[in-house]
Amino acid sequence: WNQPIRTYSKGMKQRTSIAYALAGQPEWLILDEPMSGLDAMGRKHMVDLFKKRKISGLSTLMCSHSVTDLVRLCDKVHIISMGKMCETLDIKEHSMIEAELLEQRLVHWSADHAID
């Protein structure tokens, strides 16, 4: 408790940032790579937190490169390439099949829009 936040591990900094963002009980939570740096227990806590927010009718906008996290937590995925929204995908089932389909779409966009 008496240590500066800059001395914390990456996972502890991540948890601290999310706790700070939640302090005002926002309807919308906007996060960039919220699972980055978290250990298995930290990831479980975040998944549980996001699911509780969803059940409560609160929204979370999350940027992530983790297909598993997106499929597990999101109802919609927006693919953004070169600063433009290119495609929106509805996640119907939170399953490995959906993860594979999403990964295929992301690979497609990455390959078709790669910068040479």
Coordinates of all heavy atoms in Angstrom, one line a residue, residues 10-103:
K10 N 3.3 -5.4 -14.1 CA 2.4 -5.0 -15.2 C 1.0 -5.4 -14.9 O 0.0 -4.6 -15.1 CB 2.8 -5.6 -16.6 CG 2.0 -5.1 -17.7 CD 2.5 -5.6 -19.0 CE 1.6 -5.0 -20.1 NZ 2.1 -5.4 -21.5
G11 N 0.8 -6.6 -14.4 CA -0.6 -7.1 -14.1 C -1.2 -6.2 -13.0 O -2.4 -5.9 -13.0
M12 N -0.4 -5.9 -12.0 CA -1.0 -5.0 -10.9 C -1.3 -3.6 -11.4 O -2.3 -3.0 -10.9 CB 0.0 -5.0 -9.7 CG 0.0 -6.3 -8.9 SD -1.6 -6.8 -8.2 CE -1.9 -5.5 -7.1
K13 N -0.5 -3.1 -12.2 CA -0.8 -1.8 -12.8 C -2.1 -1.9 -13.6 O -2.9 -0.9 -13.6 CB 0.4 -1.3 -13.8 CG 1.6 -0.9 -13.0 CD 2.7 -0.5 -14.0 CE 4.0 -0.2 -13.3 NZ 5.1 0.0 -14.3
Q14 N -2.3 -2.9 -14.4 CA -3.5 -3.1 -15.1 C -4.7 -3.2 -14.2 O -5.7 -2.5 -14.5 CB -3.4 -4.4 -16.0 CG -4.4 -4.6 -17.0 CD -4.2 -3.7 -18.2 OE1 -3.8 -2.5 -18.1 NE2 -4.5 -4.2 -19.4
R15 N -4.6 -4.0 -13.2 CA -5.7 -4.1 -12.2 C -6.0 -2.7 -11.6 O -7.2 -2.3 -11.4 CB -5.4 -5.1 -11.1 CG -5.5 -6.5 -11.6 CD -5.1 -7.4 -10.5 NE -5.2 -8.8 -10.9 CZ -5.1 -9.8 -10.1 NH1 -4.8 -9.6 -8.8 NH2 -5.2 -11.0 -10.5
T16 N -5.0 -2.0 -11.2 CA -5.2 -0.7 -10.6 C -5.8 0.3 -11.6 O -6.8 1.0 -11.2 CB -3.8 -0.1 -10.2 OG1 -3.2 -1.0 -9.3 CG2 -3.9 1.3 -9.5
S17 N -5.4 0.3 -12.8 CA -6.0 1.2 -13.8 C -7.5 0.8 -14.0 O -8.4 1.8 -14.1 CB -5.3 1.0 -15.2 OG -4.0 1.4 -15.1
I18 N -7.9 -0.4 -14.1 CA -9.3 -0.8 -14.3 C -10.1 -0.5 -13.0 O -11.2 0.0 -13.1 CB -9.4 -2.3 -14.7 CG1 -8.8 -2.5 -16.1 CG2 -10.8 -2.8 -14.6 CD1 -8.6 -3.9 -16.5
A19 N -9.5 -0.7 -11.9 CA -10.2 -0.3 -10.6 C -10.5 1.2 -10.6 O -11.6 1.7 -10.3 CB -9.4 -0.7 -9.4
Y20 N -9.5 2.0 -11.0 CA -9.6 3.4 -11.1 C -10.8 3.8 -12.1 O -11.6 4.7 -11.8 CB -8.3 4.1 -11.5 CG -8.3 5.6 -11.5 CD1 -8.3 6.3 -10.3 CD2 -8.3 6.3 -12.7 CE1 -8.3 7.7 -10.3 CE2 -8.3 7.7 -12.7 CZ -8.3 8.4 -11.5 OH -8.3 9.7 -11.5
A21 N -10.8 3.2 -13.2 CA -11.8 3.5 -14.2 C -13.2 3.1 -13.7 O -14.2 3.8 -14.1 CB -11.5 2.7 -15.5
L22 N -13.3 2.1 -12.9 CA -14.6 1.7 -12.4 C -15.1 2.5 -11.2 O -16.2 2.4 -10.8 CB -14.5 0.2 -12.0 CG -14.4 -0.8 -13.1 CD1 -14.1 -2.2 -12.6 CD2 -15.7 -0.8 -13.9
A23 N -14.2 3.3 -10.6 CA -14.5 4.0 -9.4 C -15.8 4.8 -9.5 O -16.5 4.9 -8.5 CB -13.3 4.8 -8.9
G24 N -16.0 5.4 -10.6 CA -17.2 6.3 -10.8 C -18.4 5.5 -11.3 O -19.4 6.1 -11.6
Q25 N -18.3 4.2 -11.3 CA -19.4 3.4 -11.8 C -20.0 3.8 -13.1 O -21.2 4.1 -13.3 CB -20.5 3.3 -10.7 CG -20.0 2.7 -9.4 CD -21.1 2.7 -8.3 OE1 -22.0 3.6 -8.3 NE2 -21.0 1.7 -7.5
P26 N -19.2 3.9 -14.2 CA -19.6 4.3 -15.5 C -20.5 3.3 -16.2 O -20.4 2.1 -16.0 CB -18.3 4.5 -16.2 CG -17.4 3.4 -15.6 CD -17.8 3.4 -14.2
E27 N -21.5 3.9 -17.0 CA -22.3 3.0 -17.8 C -21.4 2.4 -18.9 O -21.7 1.2 -19.3 CB -23.4 3.8 -18.5 CG -24.6 4.1 -17.6 CD -25.7 4.8 -18.3 OE1 -26.1 4.3 -19.4 OE2 -26.2 5.8 -17.8
W28 N -20.5 3.2 -19.4 CA -19.6 2.7 -20.5 C -18.2 2.6 -19.9 O -17.7 3.5 -19.3 CB -19.6 3.7 -21.7 CG -20.7 3.4 -22.6 CD1 -21.9 4.0 -22.6 CD2 -20.6 2.6 -23.7 NE1 -22.7 3.5 -23.7 CE2 -21.9 2.6 -24.4 CE3 -19.7 1.7 -24.3 CZ2 -22.2 1.9 -25.5 CZ3 -20.0 1.0 -25.4 CH2 -21.2 1.1 -26.0
L29 N -17.5 1.5 -20.2 CA -16.1 1.4 -19.9 C -15.4 1.1 -21.2 O -15.7 0.3 -22.0 CB -16.0 0.1 -18.9 CG -14.6 -0.1 -18.3 CD1 -14.3 1.1 -17.4 CD2 -14.7 -1.3 -17.4
I30 N -14.4 2.0 -21.5 CA -13.6 1.9 -22.7 C -12.2 1.5 -22.3 O -11.5 2.2 -21.6 CB -13.6 3.2 -23.5 CG1 -15.1 3.6 -23.8 CG2 -12.8 3.1 -24.7 CD1 -15.3 4.9 -24.4
L31 N -11.8 0.3 -22.8 CA -10.5 -0.3 -22.4 C -9.6 -0.7 -23.6 O -10.2 -1.2 -24.6 CB -10.7 -1.5 -21.5 CG -11.6 -1.3 -20.2 CD1 -11.9 -2.6 -19.6 CD2 -10.8 -0.4 -19.3
D32 N -8.3 -0.5 -23.5 CA -7.4 -0.9 -24.5 C -6.6 -2.1 -23.9 O -5.8 -1.9 -23.0 CB -6.5 0.2 -24.9 CG -5.5 -0.1 -26.0 OD1 -5.8 -1.1 -26.7 OD2 -4.5 0.6 -26.1
E33 N -6.7 -3.3 -24.5 CA -6.0 -4.5 -24.1 C -6.1 -4.7 -22.6 O -5.1 -4.8 -21.9 CB -4.5 -4.4 -24.5 CG -4.3 -4.3 -26.0 CD -4.6 -5.5 -26.8 OE1 -4.8 -6.6 -26.2 OE2 -4.6 -5.5 -28.0
P34 N -7.4 -4.8 -22.1 CA -7.5 -5.0 -20.6 C -6.9 -6.2 -20.0 O -6.7 -6.2 -18.8 CB -9.0 -4.9 -20.4 CG -9.6 -5.4 -21.7 CD -8.6 -4.9 -22.8
M35 N -6.7 -7.2 -20.8 CA -6.1 -8.5 -20.2 C -4.6 -8.5 -20.3 O -4.0 -9.5 -19.7 CB -6.7 -9.7 -21.0 CG -8.2 -9.7 -21.0 SD -8.9 -9.9 -19.4 CE -10.2 -11.0 -19.8
S36 N -4.0 -7.5 -20.9 CA -2.6 -7.5 -21.0 C -1.9 -7.6 -19.7 O -2.2 -6.8 -18.8 CB -2.2 -6.3 -21.8 OG -0.8 -6.2 -21.9
G37 N -0.9 -8.5 -19.5 CA -0.1 -8.5 -18.3 C -0.7 -9.3 -17.1 O -0.1 -9.4 -16.1
L38 N -1.9 -9.8 -17.3 CA -2.6 -10.4 -16.2 C -2.3 -11.9 -16.1 O -2.2 -12.6 -17.2 CB -4.1 -10.3 -16.3 CG -4.7 -8.9 -16.3 CD1 -6.2 -8.9 -16.5 CD2 -4.4 -8.2 -14.9
D39 N -2.2 -12.4 -14.9 CA -2.0 -13.9 -14.8 C -3.3 -14.5 -14.9 O -4.3 -13.9 -15.1 CB -1.3 -14.2 -13.4 CG -2.1 -13.7 -12.2 OD1 -3.3 -13.3 -12.4 OD2 -1.5 -13.7 -11.1
A40 N -3.3 -15.9 -14.7 CA -4.6 -16.6 -14.9 C -5.7 -16.2 -14.0 O -6.8 -16.0 -14.4 CB -4.3 -18.1 -14.7
M41 N -5.4 -15.9 -12.7 CA -6.4 -15.5 -11.7 C -6.9 -14.1 -12.1 O -8.1 -13.8 -12.0 CB -5.8 -15.5 -10.3 CG -6.8 -15.2 -9.3 SD -8.3 -16.3 -9.3 CE -7.6 -17.8 -8.7
G42 N -5.9 -13.2 -12.5 CA -6.3 -11.9 -12.9 C -7.3 -11.9 -14.1 O -8.2 -11.1 -14.2
R43 N -7.0 -12.7 -15.1 CA -7.8 -12.9 -16.3 C -9.2 -13.4 -15.9 O -10.2 -12.8 -16.3 CB -7.2 -13.8 -17.3 CG -5.9 -13.3 -17.9 CD -5.3 -14.3 -18.9 NE -6.1 -14.5 -20.0 CZ -6.3 -13.7 -21.1 NH1 -5.6 -12.6 -21.1 NH2 -7.1 -14.0 -22.1
K44 N -9.3 -14.3 -15.0 CA -10.6 -14.8 -14.5 C -11.4 -13.7 -13.8 O -12.6 -13.6 -14.1 CB -10.4 -16.0 -13.6 CG -11.7 -16.6 -13.1 CD -11.6 -17.6 -12.0 CE -12.9 -18.2 -11.5 NZ -14.1 -17.4 -11.6
H45 N -10.7 -13.0 -13.0 CA -11.4 -11.9 -12.3 C -11.9 -10.8 -13.3 O -13.1 -10.3 -13.2 CB -10.5 -11.2 -11.3 CG -10.2 -12.0 -10.1 ND1 -9.0 -11.9 -9.4 CD2 -11.0 -12.9 -9.4 CE1 -9.1 -12.7 -8.4 NE2 -10.2 -13.3 -8.4
M46 N -11.2 -10.5 -14.3 CA -11.6 -9.6 -15.3 C -12.8 -10.1 -16.2 O -13.7 -9.4 -16.4 CB -10.5 -9.2 -16.3 CG -9.4 -8.3 -15.7 SD -10.1 -6.8 -15.1 CE -9.2 -6.6 -13.6
V47 N -12.7 -11.4 -16.5 CA -13.8 -12.0 -17.3 C -15.1 -12.0 -16.4 O -16.1 -11.6 -16.9 CB -13.4 -13.5 -17.7 CG1 -14.7 -14.2 -18.2 CG2 -12.4 -13.5 -18.8
D48 N -15.0 -12.3 -15.2 CA -16.1 -12.3 -14.3 C -16.7 -10.9 -14.2 O -17.9 -10.6 -14.2 CB -15.8 -12.8 -12.9 CG -15.5 -14.3 -12.9 OD1 -15.8 -15.0 -13.9 OD2 -14.9 -14.8 -11.9
L49 N -15.8 -9.9 -14.0 CA -16.2 -8.5 -13.9 C -17.0 -8.0 -15.2 O -18.0 -7.4 -15.1 CB -15.0 -7.6 -13.7 CG -15.2 -6.1 -13.8 CD1 -15.9 -5.6 -12.5 CD2 -13.9 -5.4 -14.0
F50 N -16.4 -8.3 -16.3 CA -17.0 -7.9 -17.6 C -18.4 -8.6 -17.8 O -19.3 -8.0 -18.3 CB -16.1 -8.1 -18.8 CG -14.8 -7.3 -18.7 CD1 -13.7 -7.9 -19.2 CD2 -14.8 -6.1 -18.2 CE1 -12.5 -7.2 -19.1 CE2 -13.6 -5.3 -18.1 CZ -12.4 -5.9 -18.6
K51 N -18.5 -9.8 -17.4 CA -19.8 -10.6 -17.5 C -20.8 -10.0 -16.6 O -22.0 -9.8 -16.9 CB -19.5 -12.1 -17.3 CG -18.9 -12.8 -18.4 CD -18.7 -14.2 -18.2 CE -18.1 -14.9 -19.4 NZ -17.9 -16.3 -19.2
K52 N -20.4 -9.6 -15.4 CA -21.3 -9.0 -14.4 C -21.8 -7.7 -14.9 O -23.0 -7.3 -14.8 CB -20.7 -8.8 -13.0 CG -20.6 -10.1 -12.3 CD -19.9 -9.9 -10.9 CE -19.6 -11.2 -10.2 NZ -18.8 -11.0 -9.0
R53 N -20.9 -6.9 -15.5 CA -21.3 -5.6 -16.1 C -22.3 -5.8 -17.2 O -23.3 -5.1 -17.3 CB -20.1 -4.9 -16.6 CG -19.2 -4.2 -15.6 CD -18.0 -3.5 -16.2 NE -18.5 -2.5 -17.2 CZ -18.9 -1.3 -16.9 NH1 -19.0 -0.9 -15.6 NH2 -19.3 -0.4 -17.9
K54 N -22.1 -6.8 -18.0 CA -23.0 -7.1 -19.1 C -24.4 -7.5 -18.6 O -25.4 -6.9 -19.1 CB -22.4 -8.2 -20.0 CG -23.2 -8.5 -21.2 CD -22.5 -9.6 -22.0 CE -23.4 -10.1 -23.1 NZ -22.8 -11.2 -23.8
I55 N -24.4 -8.3 -17.6 CA -25.7 -8.8 -17.0 C -26.4 -7.6 -16.4 O -27.7 -7.5 -16.5 CB -25.5 -9.9 -16.0 CG1 -25.0 -11.2 -16.7 CG2 -26.7 -10.1 -15.1 CD1 -24.5 -12.2 -15.7
S56 N -25.7 -6.6 -15.9 CA -26.3 -5.4 -15.3 C -26.7 -4.4 -16.3 O -27.2 -3.4 -15.9 CB -25.3 -4.8 -14.3 OG -24.9 -5.7 -13.3
G57 N -26.5 -4.7 -17.6 CA -26.9 -3.7 -18.6 C -25.9 -2.7 -18.9 O -26.2 -1.7 -19.6
L58 N -24.7 -2.8 -18.4 CA -23.6 -1.9 -18.6 C -22.8 -2.3 -19.8 O -22.7 -3.5 -20.1 CB -22.7 -1.7 -17.4 CG -23.5 -1.2 -16.1 CD1 -22.6 -1.3 -14.9 CD2 -24.0 0.2 -16.3
S59 N -22.1 -1.4 -20.5 CA -21.4 -1.7 -21.7 C -19.9 -1.6 -21.5 O -19.4 -0.7 -20.8 CB -21.9 -0.8 -22.8 OG -23.2 -1.1 -23.1
T60 N -19.2 -2.4 -22.2 CA -17.7 -2.3 -22.2 C -17.3 -2.3 -23.7 O -17.6 -3.2 -24.4 CB -17.1 -3.5 -21.5 OG1 -17.6 -3.5 -20.1 CG2 -15.6 -3.4 -21.4
L61 N -16.5 -1.4 -24.0 CA -15.9 -1.3 -25.4 C -14.4 -1.7 -25.1 O -13.7 -1.0 -24.4 CB -16.0 0.1 -26.0 CG -15.3 0.3 -27.3 CD1 -15.9 -0.5 -28.4 CD2 -15.4 1.8 -27.7
M62 N -14.0 -2.7 -25.8 CA -12.7 -3.3 -25.5 C -11.9 -3.4 -26.8 O -12.4 -4.0 -27.8 CB -12.8 -4.7 -24.9 CG -11.6 -5.4 -24.6 SD -11.8 -6.9 -23.7 CE -12.4 -8.0 -25.0
C63 N -10.7 -2.9 -26.9 CA -9.7 -3.1 -28.0 C -8.8 -4.3 -27.6 O -8.3 -4.3 -26.5 CB -8.9 -1.9 -28.2 SG -7.7 -2.1 -29.4
S64 N -8.7 -5.3 -28.4 CA -7.9 -6.4 -28.1 C -7.4 -7.1 -29.4 O -8.1 -7.1 -30.4 CB -8.7 -7.4 -27.2 OG -7.9 -8.5 -26.9
H65 N -6.2 -7.7 -29.3 CA -5.7 -8.5 -30.3 C -6.0 -10.0 -30.0 O -5.6 -10.9 -30.8 CB -4.2 -8.3 -30.5 CG -3.9 -6.9 -31.1 ND1 -3.7 -5.8 -30.3 CD2 -3.9 -6.5 -32.4 CE1 -3.5 -4.8 -31.1 NE2 -3.6 -5.2 -32.3
S66 N -6.5 -10.3 -28.8 CA -6.8 -11.7 -28.4 C -8.1 -12.1 -28.9 O -9.2 -11.7 -28.4 CB -6.7 -11.7 -26.9 OG -7.1 -13.0 -26.5
V67 N -8.1 -13.0 -29.9 CA -9.3 -13.6 -30.4 C -10.1 -14.3 -29.3 O -11.3 -14.2 -29.2 CB -9.0 -14.5 -31.6 CG1 -10.3 -15.2 -32.1 CG2 -8.4 -13.7 -32.8
T68 N -9.4 -15.0 -28.5 CA -10.1 -15.8 -27.4 C -10.9 -14.8 -26.5 O -12.0 -15.1 -26.1 CB -9.1 -16.6 -26.6 OG1 -8.3 -17.4 -27.5 CG2 -9.7 -17.4 -25.5
D69 N -10.2 -13.7 -26.1 CA -10.9 -12.7 -25.2 C -12.1 -12.1 -25.9 O -13.2 -12.0 -25.3 CB -10.0 -11.6 -24.8 CG -8.9 -12.1 -23.9 OD1 -9.0 -13.1 -23.2 OD2 -7.9 -11.4 -23.8
L70 N -12.0 -11.8 -27.2 CA -13.1 -11.2 -27.9 C -14.3 -12.1 -28.0 O -15.4 -11.7 -27.8 CB -12.6 -10.8 -29.3 CG -11.6 -9.7 -29.4 CD1 -11.0 -9.5 -30.8 CD2 -12.1 -8.3 -28.9
V71 N -14.0 -13.4 -28.4 CA -15.1 -14.3 -28.5 C -15.8 -14.6 -27.2 O -17.0 -14.7 -27.1 CB -14.6 -15.6 -29.2 CG1 -15.7 -16.7 -29.2 CG2 -14.3 -15.3 -30.7
R72 N -14.9 -14.7 -26.2 CA -15.5 -15.1 -24.8 C -16.3 -13.9 -24.2 O -17.3 -14.2 -23.6 CB -14.3 -15.3 -23.9 CG -14.9 -15.8 -22.5 CD -13.8 -16.0 -21.5 NE -12.6 -16.6 -21.8 CZ -11.6 -16.7 -21.0 NH1 -11.6 -16.2 -19.8 NH2 -10.4 -17.2 -21.4
L73 N -16.0 -12.7 -24.5 CA -16.6 -11.5 -23.8 C -17.5 -10.7 -24.7 O -18.3 -10.0 -24.1 CB -15.5 -10.6 -23.2 CG -14.6 -11.3 -22.2 CD1 -13.4 -10.4 -21.9 CD2 -15.4 -11.6 -20.9
C74 N -17.4 -10.7 -26.0 CA -18.1 -9.7 -26.8 C -19.3 -10.3 -27.5 O -19.3 -11.4 -27.9 CB -17.1 -9.1 -27.8 SG -15.7 -8.3 -27.1
D75 N -20.2 -9.4 -27.8 CA -21.4 -9.7 -28.6 C -21.1 -9.3 -30.1 O -21.7 -9.9 -31.0 CB -22.6 -9.0 -28.1 CG -23.0 -9.6 -26.7 OD1 -22.9 -10.8 -26.5 OD2 -23.5 -8.8 -25.9
K76 N -20.4 -8.2 -30.2 CA -20.0 -7.7 -31.5 C -18.5 -7.4 -31.6 O -17.9 -7.0 -30.6 CB -20.7 -6.4 -31.8 CG -22.2 -6.5 -32.1 CD -22.7 -5.1 -32.6 CE -24.2 -5.2 -32.8 NZ -24.6 -6.1 -33.9
V77 N -17.9 -7.6 -32.7 CA -16.5 -7.3 -32.9 C -16.5 -6.4 -34.2 O -17.0 -6.8 -35.2 CB -15.7 -8.6 -33.2 CG1 -14.3 -8.2 -33.5 CG2 -15.7 -9.5 -31.9
H78 N -15.8 -5.3 -34.0 CA -15.6 -4.4 -35.1 C -14.1 -4.5 -35.5 O -13.2 -4.3 -34.7 CB -15.9 -2.9 -34.7 CG -17.3 -2.7 -34.2 ND1 -18.4 -2.7 -35.0 CD2 -17.8 -2.6 -32.9 CE1 -19.5 -2.5 -34.3 NE2 -19.1 -2.5 -33.0
I79 N -13.9 -4.8 -36.8 CA -12.5 -4.9 -37.3 C -12.2 -3.5 -37.9 O -12.9 -2.9 -38.7 CB -12.4 -6.0 -38.4 CG1 -12.8 -7.3 -37.8 CG2 -11.0 -5.9 -39.0 CD1 -12.8 -8.4 -38.9
I80 N -11.1 -3.0 -37.4 CA -10.6 -1.7 -37.8 C -9.3 -1.9 -38.4 O -8.4 -2.5 -37.9 CB -10.5 -0.7 -36.6 CG1 -11.8 -0.5 -35.9 CG2 -9.8 0.6 -37.0 CD1 -11.8 0.2 -34.6
S81 N -9.1 -1.3 -39.6 CA -7.9 -1.4 -40.4 C -7.5 -0.1 -40.9 O -8.4 0.6 -41.5 CB -8.0 -2.4 -41.5 OG -6.8 -2.5 -42.3
M82 N -6.3 0.4 -40.7 CA -5.8 1.7 -41.2 C -6.8 2.8 -40.7 O -7.0 3.7 -41.4 CB -5.8 1.7 -42.8 CG -5.0 0.5 -43.4 SD -3.3 0.7 -43.5 CE -3.1 2.0 -44.6
G83 N -7.3 2.7 -39.5 CA -8.0 3.7 -38.9 C -9.5 3.8 -39.3 O -10.2 4.7 -38.9
K84 N -9.9 2.8 -40.1 CA -11.3 2.8 -40.6 C -12.0 1.5 -40.2 O -11.4 0.4 -40.2 CB -11.4 2.9 -42.1 CG -10.9 4.2 -42.6 CD -11.0 4.3 -44.1 CE -10.4 5.7 -44.6 NZ -10.5 5.8 -46.0
M85 N -13.3 1.6 -39.8 CA -14.0 0.4 -39.4 C -14.4 -0.3 -40.7 O -15.0 0.2 -41.6 CB -15.3 0.7 -38.6 CG -15.9 -0.6 -38.1 SD -17.1 -0.4 -36.8 CE -17.7 1.2 -36.8
C86 N -13.9 -1.6 -40.9 CA -14.1 -2.3 -42.1 C -15.2 -3.3 -42.1 O -15.8 -3.6 -43.1 CB -12.8 -3.0 -42.4 SG -11.4 -2.0 -42.5
E87 N -15.4 -3.9 -40.9 CA -16.4 -5.0 -40.8 C -16.9 -5.1 -39.4 O -16.1 -4.9 -38.5 CB -15.7 -6.3 -41.3 CG -16.6 -7.5 -41.4 CD -15.9 -8.7 -42.1 OE1 -14.8 -8.6 -42.5 OE2 -16.6 -9.7 -42.1
T88 N -18.1 -5.5 -39.3 CA -18.7 -5.8 -37.9 C -19.2 -7.2 -38.0 O -19.9 -7.6 -38.9 CB -19.9 -4.8 -37.6 OG1 -19.4 -3.5 -37.6 CG2 -20.5 -5.2 -36.3
L89 N -18.8 -8.0 -36.9 CA -19.2 -9.4 -36.8 C -20.0 -9.6 -35.5 O -19.6 -9.1 -34.5 CB -18.0 -10.3 -36.8 CG -17.0 -10.1 -38.0 CD1 -15.7 -10.9 -37.7 CD2 -17.7 -10.7 -39.2
D90 N -21.1 -10.3 -35.6 CA -21.9 -10.6 -34.5 C -21.3 -11.9 -33.9 O -21.1 -12.9 -34.7 CB -23.4 -10.8 -34.8 CG -24.0 -9.5 -35.1 OD1 -23.7 -8.5 -34.4 OD2 -24.8 -9.4 -36.0
I91 N -21.1 -12.0 -32.6 CA -20.7 -13.2 -32.0 C -21.9 -13.9 -31.5 O -22.6 -13.5 -30.6 CB -19.7 -13.0 -30.8 CG1 -18.5 -12.2 -31.3 CG2 -19.3 -14.3 -30.2 CD1 -17.6 -12.9 -32.3
K92 N -22.3 -15.0 -32.2 CA -23.6 -15.7 -31.8 C -23.4 -16.7 -30.8 O -24.2 -16.9 -29.9 CB -24.2 -16.3 -33.1 CG -24.6 -15.3 -34.1 CD -25.0 -16.0 -35.4 CE -25.3 -15.0 -36.5 NZ -24.2 -14.2 -37.0
E93 N -22.3 -17.4 -30.9 CA -21.9 -18.4 -29.9 C -20.6 -18.1 -29.3 O -19.7 -17.7 -30.1 CB -21.8 -19.8 -30.5 CG -23.1 -20.3 -31.2 CD -22.8 -21.7 -31.9 OE1 -21.9 -22.4 -31.5 OE2 -23.5 -21.9 -32.8
H94 N -20.4 -18.2 -28.1 CA -19.1 -18.0 -27.5 C -18.3 -19.3 -27.5 O -18.3 -20.0 -26.5 CB -19.2 -17.4 -26.1 CG -20.0 -16.1 -26.1 ND1 -19.3 -14.9 -26.5 CD2 -21.2 -15.8 -25.9 CE1 -20.2 -13.9 -26.5 NE2 -21.4 -14.4 -26.1
S95 N -17.9 -19.7 -28.7 CA -17.3 -21.0 -28.9 C -16.0 -21.0 -29.7 O -15.7 -20.0 -30.3 CB -18.3 -21.9 -29.6 OG -18.5 -21.4 -31.0
M96 N -15.3 -22.1 -29.7 CA -14.1 -22.2 -30.5 C -14.4 -22.0 -32.0 O -13.6 -21.5 -32.7 CB -13.4 -23.5 -30.3 CG -12.7 -23.6 -28.9 SD -11.5 -22.3 -28.7 CE -10.3 -22.7 -30.0
I97 N -15.5 -22.5 -32.5 CA -15.9 -22.3 -33.9 C -16.0 -20.8 -34.2 O -15.4 -20.3 -35.2 CB -17.2 -23.0 -34.2 CG1 -17.1 -24.5 -34.1 CG2 -17.7 -22.6 -35.6 CD1 -18.3 -25.3 -34.1
E98 N -16.6 -20.0 -33.3 CA -16.7 -18.6 -33.5 C -15.3 -18.0 -33.5 O -14.9 -17.1 -34.3 CB -17.5 -17.9 -32.4 CG -19.0 -18.1 -32.6 CD -19.7 -17.2 -33.6 OE1 -19.0 -16.3 -34.1 OE2 -20.8 -17.4 -33.8
A99 N -14.4 -18.5 -32.6 CA -13.0 -18.0 -32.5 C -12.3 -18.2 -33.8 O -11.6 -17.3 -34.3 CB -12.3 -18.6 -31.3
E100 N -12.5 -19.4 -34.4 CA -11.8 -19.7 -35.6 C -12.3 -18.9 -36.8 O -11.5 -18.4 -37.6 CB -12.0 -21.2 -36.0 CG -11.2 -22.1 -35.0 CD -11.5 -23.6 -35.2 OE1 -12.3 -24.0 -36.1 OE2 -11.1 -24.4 -34.3
L101 N -13.6 -18.6 -36.8 CA -14.2 -17.7 -37.9 C -13.7 -16.3 -37.7 O -13.3 -15.7 -38.7 CB -15.7 -17.8 -37.8 CG -16.4 -19.1 -38.2 CD1 -17.9 -19.0 -37.9 CD2 -16.1 -19.4 -39.6
L102 N -13.6 -15.8 -36.5 CA -13.1 -14.5 -36.3 C -11.6 -14.4 -36.7 O -11.2 -13.4 -37.3 CB -13.3 -14.1 -34.8 CG -12.7 -12.7 -34.4 CD1 -13.3 -11.6 -35.3 CD2 -13.0 -12.4 -33.0
E103 N -10.9 -15.4 -36.3 CA -9.4 -15.3 -36.6 C -9.2 -15.4 -38.1 O -8.4 -14.6 -38.7 CB -8.7 -16.5 -36.0 CG -7.2 -16.4 -36.1 CD -6.5 -17.2 -35.0 OE1 -7.0 -18.2 -34.6 OE2 -5.5 -16.7 -34.6

